[in-house]
Amino acid sequence: KNQIGPIELTTDLGINIAGDLEGNYLDAQADVKINQDMSASIKLNAHSTAADYNYRLYQSDYLNYNWQNSFKNQQTQQLAFQVNSKKYGTLSLDYTTISNYLFFEQRENLGVKPYQYDGTVNYMRAKYEKEFKYKNFALHNSVMYQQVLDGDQVLNVPQINTRNTLYYAN
C-alpha cells in the first residue's frame, strides 16, 4: 500500500506454494479523490485458481453422477473502473476474460456433469447505484447491464438486472 500524491495504490499478491492445488492471484487498485463529492478507482485482477472439489471429484450411488476430473486452472483477468459521487451515485464498469472456464451441463444420456470450456469467455458489465433518503426512509436502487461477448454458450447471465430496496432505519 502506498500514497503517491493524490493517488492511493494498493496491491495484493498471493501464490500457493504447498499442496496439490496450484494457484496465484494479483490484485492492484488505484484510488483518487477528485473533490469533496467525487472519487474514482481503477482495479486490475489476475487470478489462476484450481477447480473446486465439486468439479474434481463426486461419488454417488447413481452411476450417472460420478466423476473424477483433472481440469486445468481457471484463468481470470478483470479490468474495472468506478466513479463514486455522494450526489449522483456510483457508476462501475468492468471487463473480464476467463480462460478454461468450468461449468456444469446436462448432456443427453450423461446426466449433469462438470466440463471445461476450451475457449475464452469475454464478459462486460456496467452498473449504476443510487440511494435516496427521506427522514428515516430510504430507497436504494441498482441497475446493471451485462453482456457475454464470447462464450455465451457456457456462461448465461441476464442482460439487465435491477435491485430496489425500500427500508426504514432509526
Side-chain angles (χ1 to χ4, degrees):
K1 193 171 192 177
N2 198 1
Q3 183 87 25
I4 302 173
I7 300 171
E8 182 179 323
L9 299 171
T10 306
T11 57
D12 193 16
L13 173 69
I15 299 172
N16 189 5
I17 57 173
D20 295 335
L21 304 178
E22 297 176 358
N24 58 66
Y25 68 91
L26 170 66
D27 295 332
Q29 180 171 335
D31 297 306
V32 63
K33 188 171 183 177
I34 299 168
N35 56 36
Q36 287 296 103
D37 179 54
M38 293 184 80
S39 64
S41 67
I42 188 166
K43 299 177 187 178
L44 174 66
N45 302 317
H47 294 237
S48 174
T49 55
D52 292 336
Y53 282 109
N54 56 340
Y55 289 100
R56 298 167 62 93
L57 176 66
Y58 187 77
Q59 294 178 325
S60 166
D61 286 338
Y62 299 102
L63 296 179
N64 284 341
Y65 294 98
N66 286 296
W67 57 78
Q68 185 169 358
N69 298 309
S70 179
F71 289 124
K72 298 177 195 171
N73 276 16
Q74 184 170 286
Q75 311 286 333
T76 306
Q77 295 84 30
Q78 181 185 49
L79 179 63
F81 179 73
Q82 183 170 318
V83 176
N84 299 313
S85 170
K86 295 174 188 170
K87 185 177 179 181
Y88 298 111
T90 302
L91 176 66
S92 55
L93 307 165
D94 68 64
Y95 182 81
T96 305
T97 62
I98 307 170
S99 301
N100 302 322
Y101 179 69
L102 294 164
F103 64 100
F104 284 92
E105 184 175 67
Q106 181 173 357
R107 296 192 178 164
E108 209 171 302
N109 299 325
L110 296 175
V112 175
K113 290 190 177 188
Y115 296 95
Q116 190 160 45
Y117 181 58
D118 291 342
T120 300
V121 175
N122 292 302
Y123 170 70
M124 56 88 53
R125 291 185 299 192
K127 183 177 180 182
Y128 176 73
E129 293 181 82
K130 175 70 175 139
E131 184 175 58
F132 301 97
K133 290 186 177 182
Y134 178 73
K135 296 186 180 181
N136 292 333
F137 291 93
L139 176 64
H140 186 269
N141 301 292
S142 72
V143 177
M144 179 172 56
Y145 172 80
Q146 53 190 1
Q147 178 80 37
V148 178
L149 305 171
D150 295 314
D152 58 349
Q153 64 271 30
V154 294
L155 179 61
N156 299 309
V157 295
Q159 201 167 27
I160 296 179
N161 187 4
T162 180
R163 293 183 184 174
N164 311 87
T165 305
L166 176 65
Y167 64 92
Y168 176 84
N170 187 358

